[in-house]
Amino acid sequence: MGDWFMRTILLALVTTVVACSGSSADEPPAQVAGNYTLTITDNQNGCNLENFTTNASQTGTMVAITQSGGSLTATAMHTSGLVLAFAAGDTLNGWIQGHDASVSATSGRTQGGCVYTTTATANITFSDTGMQGNIVYTDSGNGSSDCGVMQQCTSTQTFTGSR
């Protein structure tokens, strides 16, 4: 076989390998809109949140996911077990790329002389019929002694859900 033929085969093979090795950043957003029922498990409680018991699970939390292209909104409809509704509101906004998404919300709070913000960030991986991921709650205070643990703390939950 000629040198030209071998180069053509090699070029075709390299092109195929490169085309098939695209990262998830190249994937279009999965279509994930719908209502999901979650099971949520409390993990680390670094912010001393009320009604938060490490390793305790709650079922039946309803979340509505709406989507417009790569933009995603998650709204808690039934907040049992979801600290989110009390920490940063019940709606998180963000993005989806492929099957992976991140949504967040931030709210301000006051406790005595402490002015602090709470940010809730949910990192989600969607499948054909459900989702799984974690929620990280971070409090950041203004330096007042009234802030206590909320000066800088993190609490986490994990979740699984189905449509």
Side-chain angles (χ1 to χ4, degrees):
M1 288 188 204
D3 194 33
W4 174 85
F5 182 75
M6 291 305 285
R7 277 188 262 168
T8 303
I9 295 293
L10 182 59
L11 179 61
L13 180 60
V14 168
T15 302
T16 301
V17 169
V18 169
C20 292
S21 67
S23 69
S24 64
D26 297 333
E27 292 181 50
Q31 299 303 307
V32 298
N35 295 329
Y36 293 80
T37 303
L38 304 183
T39 298
I40 299 170
T41 302
D42 296 341
N43 298 125
Q44 170 192 346
N45 188 9
C47 299
N48 293 329
L49 301 170
E50 292 183 30
N51 302 318
F52 191 107
T53 305
T54 300
N55 297 323
S57 293
Q58 304 83 30
T59 59
T61 299
M62 301 296 295
V63 174
I65 301 290
T66 56
Q67 180 177 1
S68 177
S71 297
L72 205 65
T73 299
T75 303
M77 300 183 308
H78 176 131
T79 58
S80 174
L82 194 60
V83 172
L84 165 67
F86 306 104
D90 61 0
T91 300
L92 294 91
N93 296 294
W95 56 267
I96 181 167
Q97 183 66 49
H99 287 86
D100 297 320
S102 182
V103 292
S104 64
T106 300
S107 68
R109 303 269 192 236
T110 302
Q111 177 177 303
C114 179
V115 178
Y116 65 99
T117 58
T118 297
T119 300
T121 301
N123 299 299
I124 310 165
T125 299
F126 289 93
S127 66
D128 290 339
T129 60
M131 68 163 85
Q132 67 179 7
N134 65 44
I135 305 171
V136 178
Y137 303 94
T138 305
D139 286 342
S140 219
N142 64 354
S144 168
S145 61
D146 290 343
C147 289
V149 70
M150 291 175 296
Q151 185 58 37
Q152 187 66 42
C153 64
T154 301
S155 296
T156 61
Q157 294 178 306
T158 55
F159 60 87
T160 59
S162 60
R163 289 193 221 205

